[in-house]
């Protein structure tokens, strides 16, 4: 009886394990291959360029409700005048949060749903996902908005950066909407492919910063903590050596 019970339990465990493995394999097959973003919050010049890109092309629809203009100025080494004149297009005050002025009801009417806040986008999906997404829009005549995306199929967002990247087209599997070949630029934009990818790297870096502004301060403090621990360890070593030198 015990042996039969054990055998049934073992078969159930094996079946469950095989099911999980099969599910993981299917999920891995469905996930798109991501590009390496190369984003870095340590590159302040990249963060400044990324901020400019966000406030010129994204803030009209998307908010950063967990970030304030004053905090951006402090962390990115910008003056209040720089921020208020060159980044603040929503009419907010210097200490206000970055909130888009697009009415949620109108956004839902135009796009089917309100554009998401991007404060935690990189934390939720990763910088490589965001970077690849920004590089993967293509013309789709079957889409209500005329655009689609290989990373997020049927995305409700029209492509606001088309003038920079140009128009990308995709080759579909016959009778389907599945993209079977690499996207190609059919009509160039104002940027070369290398310039556009660098701009998306800058934008991704800024969104990575926005997901955790404290990361910059944490890394700065971390250096001093490590130096303190090194000095403390050295002093402890000398004290230990002095204490035990007369002990036989």
């Amino acid at each position: 009886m015990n042996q039969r019970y054990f055998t049934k339990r073992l078969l159930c465990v094996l079946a469950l394990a095989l099911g999980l493995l099969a599910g993981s394999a299917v999920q891995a097959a469905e996930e798109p291959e991501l590009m390496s973003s190369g984003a870095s919050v340590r590159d302040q010049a990249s963060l400044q360029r990324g901020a400019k890109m966000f406030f010129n092309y994204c803030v009209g629809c998307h908010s950063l409700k967990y970030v304030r203009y004053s905090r951006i100025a402090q962390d990115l080494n910008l003056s209040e005048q720089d921020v208020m004149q060159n980044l603040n297009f929503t009419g907010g005050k210097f200490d206000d949060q970055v909130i888009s002025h697009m009415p949620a009801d109108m956004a839902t009417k135009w796009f089917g749903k309100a554009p998401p806040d991007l404060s935690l986008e990189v934390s939720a999906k990763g910088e490589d996902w965001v970077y690849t997404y920004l590089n993967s829009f293509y013309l789709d005549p079957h889409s209500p908005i005329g655009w689609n995306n290989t990373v997020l199929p049927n995305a409700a967002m029209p492509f606001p950066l088309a003038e920079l990247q140009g128009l990308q087209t995709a080759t579909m599997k016959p009778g389907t909407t599945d993209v079977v070949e690499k996207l190609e630029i059919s009509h160039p934009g104002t940027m070369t492919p290398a310039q556009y990818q660098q701009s998306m790297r800058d934008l991704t870096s800024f969104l990575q910063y926005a997901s955790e502004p404290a990361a910059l301060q944490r890394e700065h403090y971390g250096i001093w903590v490590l130096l303190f621990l090194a000095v403390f360890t050295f002093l402890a070593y000398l004290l230990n050596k002095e204490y035990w030198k007369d002990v036989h």
Side-chain angles (χ1 to χ4, degrees), residues 58-64 69 88-93 96-107 110 115:
C58 306
V59 78
C61 299
H62 298 281
S63 299
L64 294 175
Y69 291 103
N88 184 359
F89 304 126
T90 62
K93 298 179 181 179
D96 284 351
Q97 298 160 299
V98 180
I99 302 297
S100 171
H101 280 187
M102 175 176 285
D105 56 341
M106 296 303 296
W110 296 330

Side-chain angles (χ1 to χ4, degrees), residues 121-122 125-135 204 207:
E121 190 73 6
V122 170
K125 298 179 179 177
E127 59 267 25
D128 290 346
W129 190 96
V130 172
Y131 176 75
T132 306
Y133 172 76
L134 293 170
N135 280 277
T204 303
L207 291 176

Side-chain angles (χ1 to χ4, degrees), residues 53 90 97 137 150 168 176 202 215 231 234 237 243:
M53 183 67 62
T90 62
Q97 298 160 299
F137 278 90
T150 58
Q168 286 195 133
T176 71
D202 296 336
V231 172
F234 178 69
Y237 167 76
Y243 181 82

Side-chain angles (χ1 to χ4, degrees), residues 4 16 38 47 102 114 118 126 138 140 160 164 187 205 232:
R4 183 181 302 175
L16 178 61
L47 292 178
M102 175 176 285
L118 298 183
Y138 63 92
D140 184 359
L164 305 180
H187 189 282
S205 295
F232 177 80

